[in-house]
Amino acid sequence: MTTAPHTRVGGGSARVVGATALALAASLIVQNVVVGAGGAPDYGDPIADVLAFHAEHRGAVAIAVGLEALNLPLLLGFLAGLHGLVASRTTAGATWSRLALAAGATLSAIWAIYAVAWIGAVLSVGDGGEPSVAFELSWRLHAAGLGMALPALGATFLGAAMAAHAAALTPAWQRLLGVVGAVLLVAAGTASLAIADGSSMVFVGVAGLALWILWLVATGLRLVRGRSVDIDA
């Protein structure tokens, strides 16, 4: 059993990492609100309805894809910064922190494919009013990208939550968020094919994503304020 002492998380680096976590959470929230407010189609909706949405809401999709590009450096910057904080305080969370970094890099690659496929769907809408083969293929690839991103996010979430707790940066309830969120995200990811075909299993993943955003906000606020906790592990 090891005990991490109760100390304040000092220095500008912790505040930068916390601000990055808050920025990532804000970007994810805005991204989902912008698309959701436009009545985004489900993956199981008729392809004609999907086409109509993209033809009418090209601006909303452009904002969402732009935020996806912003999410990549924010995610990697946060995980790299968190790794530095954890390594400077304890060796107990080093393995978890490395897991978060590796999974986060994988997640970034999948997010890029997901966004590129979405861009392809928008650009292949055309003027004919009928969904083309290129449009449907891009949309299906976009849906599959979301499905495969879920387990990568789950591993990222678990590693970051466990590492932060081991370094006395977060309390036990935030570690619990990481475990529950990871289980939900990985479970949803095992149904990637079904999700891409319109399964309601996607909402299991959405619940995991909501816990990830909550964890980012709570962790970001603690780091910005320079707060730590007593940990007995």
Side-chain angles (χ1 to χ4, degrees):
M1 177 181 293
T2 60
T3 301
H6 180 80
T7 59
R8 286 188 66 80
V9 183
S13 60
R15 288 189 289 273
V16 170
V17 175
T20 305
L22 293 174
L24 176 58
S27 178
L28 290 169
I29 292 171
V30 172
Q31 184 182 43
N32 283 276
V33 168
V34 165
V35 177
D42 294 330
Y43 292 128
D45 286 352
I47 196 65
D49 293 346
V50 178
L51 178 72
F53 169 82
H54 285 84
E56 297 170 7
H57 299 88
R58 183 166 179 161
V61 175
I63 293 173
V65 171
L67 289 173
E68 199 70 72
L70 178 62
N71 291 342
L72 301 184
L74 288 176
L75 174 67
L76 295 176
F78 167 68
L79 294 175
L82 180 64
H83 178 70
L85 291 178
V86 171
S88 69
R89 291 169 63 83
T90 178
T91 60
T95 299
W96 289 113
S97 184
R98 285 193 289 268
L99 170 64
L101 279 169
T106 302
L107 175 61
S108 295
I110 299 173
W111 271 354
I113 295 172
Y114 165 89
V116 167
W118 206 0
I119 292 172
V122 172
L123 295 180
S124 60
V125 167
D127 300 321
E130 294 294 330
S132 64
V133 174
F135 175 81
E136 185 165 5
L137 179 61
S138 296
W139 178 246
R140 297 304 181 192
L141 182 59
H142 167 73
L146 173 66
M148 291 306 298
L150 296 176
L153 177 57
T156 303
F157 191 2
L158 180 64
M162 297 296 289
H165 182 71
L169 298 174
T170 56
W173 70 267
Q174 285 186 238
R175 178 178 59 179
L176 180 61
L177 282 185
V179 173
V180 174
V183 169
L184 291 175
L185 288 162
V186 173
T190 61
S192 294
L193 178 59
I195 287 174
D197 197 35
S199 171
S200 58
M201 273 294 291
V202 70
F203 294 108
V204 176
V206 169
L209 174 63
L211 293 182
W212 165 243
I213 293 174
L214 175 60
W215 184 88
L216 283 173
V217 171
T219 301
L221 290 175
R222 293 191 70 88
L223 293 176
V224 168
R225 295 170 180 171
R227 297 176 59 191
S228 64
V229 295
D230 288 318
I231 299 293
D232 292 314

